[in-house]
Amino acid sequence: MKSFDFAPLNVPGPTKIPLTEPFWQAAANGELHMQYCECCQSYVFYPREICPCCWSDQLTWRQVTGQATIKTYTTIWKPGQPGWSAVTPYTVGIIQLDEGPSMLALLLLEPEQLEVGRAVCFKTINIGGQLMPAFTIPEDNHHDK
Amino acid sequence: MSQPKAAIIGVGELKPCRVTNGASTLGMLAQASALALKDAGIHKSDIDGLLVGPQVGETPQHVPATVAEYLGLQPNMANVVDLGGASGPGMIWRAAAAIEAGMCHTVLCVLGNHRNPEVPRSPNRNPIREFDVPFGASGANTTYAQLKQAHMAAFQSKDEDFALITQWARHNAQYHPHAIFNGKPCDASDVLQSPLIAEPLHLYEIVMPVAGAEAVIVTSVERAKALNKPAAYLMGAGEKVTHRALSQAPDLTSGPLKPSMAQAFKQSNTSVTDMDLLSLYDCYSIMVALTLEDSGICPPGKFGDFLRHNTFGYDGSCPMNTHGGQLGFGQPDLAGGMTHVVEAVHQLRETAYGRQIRSAQYALVTGNGATLSEAVALVLASEKVALDNLGEGQ
Ligand SMILES: [Zn+2]
């Protein structure tokens, strides 16, 4: 298994706000949490003040399974943010969680493992000192701490 | 028959260049505006409406007043149109709507940007910045690479199919003296041999950023008829905004241009096969593929076959982006979307010297912004068609 070491990167971290703090806190603890709308019973990503589906403010935080499917991906050779040049080529993609929402994520798969429709799972990695969510093959479930 | 909604009576365009040294956006907008005014053959005092784009780094707020003051205008209607690459086409129907609403009668629509060595970046704190950028997903290349990948996975489309889009853009650029790739044709194999930037996108499938500016003057049908030179006429328009970040897109193999084009065709009582020119927003090869399929000119997933069975030069079976598109002309920032309007006007007025489509009557213009998320489609017509529809042609 190729090891991905993003810890030394000097790149922009997340611009957290109080509303989004539970997402980042959970990720740092090796868990993936999402908002859930108690009104229309749907998961919401990214975190919002109201549900984008029904405009209810009855949003609570729930842990999700972290099981997801790759919708698409790209392997980046020339990053838009120069700080990422140290780890090229790296892969990002859009994954759809089994609970419904889609999100952009770093994909920690070997080139031959990359495939639209492939099942992946959540793991926590260290990017530039921040513990962040990423997705990988189900066998690789060790969280960075 | 559908009635023309407004007329485009003047266009102005600066020759794109890779680098400027100290040029201001305001100065470039002014130069393009003066060219459009001269082309229209009207006086500055005739302009009473102004539409501009955002100007990151130079004028974050109060953009219309800043541009109006610089140009010595005191418009009765002024606004910012902030739809990325769809801003240019988005200005055209907004100008028509403002004229129809009685707010003004003649609108200057102008976009452009310099490329000075220092690139201004506005600090931001929004969902894209929080949930995309920290994962190494900065910029449009990442987005459109993922869209190309999604298309290849869904339809087994091939790199060779996408490379034809650049090949035709570069071919057409040879007939536009302003195009950044004039004198630099390339074929599909050159595209496939160019470096991978964001897999599966190669360098030559990505627009070249350039400095430039484009200005368009829109007026009422009545005023256009009174001028002694032909205009191009707005017959229909459609617009749709679906999301901002690609992860929130409702679909990865079809975009908001689909309903936008459908509405523009409906308003103009036309279909895509009536179009003599496809002036399709082409920030990346994949954008043209998706737009062709969303237009209905070929089935989903079949753009490659369509490209192989047609020719796309001004004298071809399906003239498309006869100015080279942005892949051949260059992308002057937000003005890139307006190049597709300007070329359509030239073709419909028969002022596309050296690349004139024979008796062009209808043109489809598309604009696309952000992450396949902001869409505008226009159907433009020649003066003959527009005035025939008014019941006043011969
Ligand atoms: Zn809800």
Side-chain angles (χ1 to χ4, degrees):
Chain A
M1 190 73 207
K2 179 170 142 194
S3 70
F4 294 88
D5 189 7
F6 298 120
L9 286 179
N10 181 19
V11 293
T15 49
K16 303 170 191 176
I17 59 176
L19 174 77
T20 62
E21 194 63 49
F23 174 84
W24 297 109
Q25 275 291 339
N29 294 327
E31 294 180 358
L32 190 61
H33 288 205
M34 295 263 150
Q35 281 181 314
Y36 180 78
C37 175
E38 302 289 351
C39 187
C40 71
Q41 277 102 50
S42 59
Y43 283 90
V44 172
F45 184 82
Y46 47 90
R48 291 161 164 95
E49 292 286 359
I50 62 170
C51 166
C53 182
C54 72
W55 284 22
S56 160
D57 62 358
Q58 302 300 303
L59 294 168
T60 54
W61 285 94
R62 291 192 181 184
Q63 183 174 3
V64 293
T65 60
Q67 308 296 320
T69 307
I70 297 177
K71 285 171 78 175
T72 188
Y73 60 90
T74 174
T75 298
I76 298 177
W77 294 82
K78 195 169 186 309
Q81 220 294 333
W84 282 86
S85 301
V87 291
T88 52
Y90 63 95
T91 301
V92 299
I94 294 172
I95 56 94
Q96 181 165 24
L97 294 159
D98 287 359
E99 288 83 358
S102 293
M103 62 186 287
L104 184 127
L106 204 50
L107 298 180
L108 309 177
L109 286 79
E110 303 292 341
E112 62 275 12
Q113 296 171 328
L114 287 166
E115 192 183 356
V116 170
R118 185 180 185 112
V120 288
C121 68
F122 164 79
K123 79 174 257 177
T124 294
I125 59 159
N126 183 330
I127 304 178
Q130 289 273 343
L131 291 171
M132 308 263 288
F135 285 80
T136 182
I137 54 169
E139 295 75 44
D140 172 27
N141 52 12
H142 165 78
H143 298 289
D144 281 0
K145 295 224 167 57
Chain B
M1 293 298 228
S2 72
Q3 302 287 308
K5 299 169 188 301
I8 299 174
I9 55 170
V11 294
E13 174 174 283
L14 301 189
K15 184 172 165 46
C17 59
R18 282 288 287 156
V19 180
T20 52
N21 284 304
S24 70
T25 301
L26 282 172
M28 295 176 67
L29 297 183
Q31 290 173 309
S33 300
L35 290 171
L37 191 78
K38 185 167 178 235
D39 180 54
I42 60 172
H43 294 105
K44 194 193 93 177
S45 57
D46 293 324
I47 293 172
D48 64 350
L50 177 66
L51 293 175
V52 296
Q55 290 164 25
V56 173
E58 188 169 306
T59 307
Q61 284 182 302
H62 306 291
V63 190
T66 303
V67 175
E69 180 189 270
Y70 194 94
L71 295 174
L73 296 173
Q74 296 183 4
N76 301 333
M77 184 282 293
N79 221 322
V80 174
V81 179
D82 183 6
L83 294 171
S87 300
M91 287 174 169
I92 306 302
W93 79 255
R94 282 173 171 78
I99 293 164
E100 173 67 23
M103 300 303 292
C104 53
H105 55 69
T106 302
V107 182
L108 170 65
C109 307
V110 62
L111 290 159
N113 209 349
H114 60 76
R115 275 181 61 83
N116 295 337
E118 72 290 352
V119 181
R121 285 196 188 209
S122 61
N124 54 33
R125 197 193 70 160
N126 57 23
I128 285 242
R129 173 64 188 82
E130 183 169 1
F131 293 103
D132 280 21
V133 172
F135 299 103
S138 296
N141 292 344
T142 310
T143 293
Y144 288 86
Q146 290 180 91
L147 287 166
K148 183 181 172 188
Q149 183 70 61
H151 193 283
M152 294 171 87
F155 302 114
Q156 289 74 53
S157 50
K158 300 279 182 269
D159 268 329
E160 289 74 12
D161 301 332
F162 290 94
L164 291 172
I165 292 166
T166 301
Q167 178 180 301
W168 277 109
R170 292 282 195 99
H171 171 88
N172 286 347
Q174 306 317 307
Y175 299 90
H176 194 312
H178 282 180
I180 202 83
F181 286 113
N182 187 280
K184 294 173 189 161
C186 81
D187 61 23
S189 67
D190 297 326
V191 178
L192 299 180
Q193 283 163 30
S194 67
L196 282 167
I197 302 297
E199 219 167 320
L201 276 182
H202 301 81
L203 179 63
Y204 291 178
E205 298 177 81
I206 302 172
V207 283
M208 171 86 84
V210 293
E214 308 272 326
V216 169
I217 297 174
V218 179
T219 195
S220 66
V221 173
E222 288 308 307
R223 282 186 173 249
K225 280 164 58 187
L227 296 171
N228 58 3
K229 66 185 291 187
Y233 288 76
L234 175 65
M235 307 302 285
E239 180 167 303
K240 184 82 177 167
V241 177
T242 48
H243 61 277
R244 174 63 187 91
L246 189 66
S247 66
Q248 308 300 305
D251 195 336
L252 296 180
T253 56
S254 174
L257 266 172
K258 186 172 183 174
S260 304
M261 289 187 286
Q263 180 175 312
F265 292 137
K266 190 173 179 205
Q267 283 191 1
S268 58
N269 195 24
T270 61
S271 73
V272 69
T273 52
D274 294 324
M275 300 299 126
D276 301 296
L277 168 67
L278 301 178
S279 199
L280 307 184
Y281 194 87
D282 61 338
C283 45
Y284 296 86
S285 57
I286 176 63
M287 193 61 220
V288 175
L290 291 170
T291 306
L292 287 170
E293 293 173 7
D294 277 346
S295 78
I297 205 165
C298 66
K302 298 292 184 195
F303 82 91
D305 289 344
F306 181 75
L307 290 176
R308 276 185 291 276
H309 293 128
N310 282 282
T311 52
F312 298 90
Y314 72 91
D315 53 354
S317 62
C318 181
M320 178 169 78
N321 289 343
T322 44
H323 65 310
Q326 295 175 77
L327 286 167
F329 182 87
Q331 179 172 64
D333 199 48
L334 294 174
M338 196 65 110
T339 67
H340 297 273
V341 175
V342 169
E343 178 65 7
V345 171
H346 279 307
Q347 292 292 354
L348 295 169
R349 297 191 316 192
E350 308 213 329
T351 52
Y353 305 113
R355 60 177 191 282
Q356 181 62 51
I357 299 168
R358 186 190 292 262
S359 60
Q361 296 190 321
Y362 283 109
L364 171 67
V365 178
T366 63
N368 165 72
T371 60
L372 192 70
S373 48
E374 302 160 329
V376 174
L378 306 175
V379 171
L380 304 180
S382 68
E383 182 149 298
K384 179 176 186 312
V385 166
L387 297 188
D388 278 354
N389 281 16
L390 266 184
E392 293 180 31
Q394 70 275 39

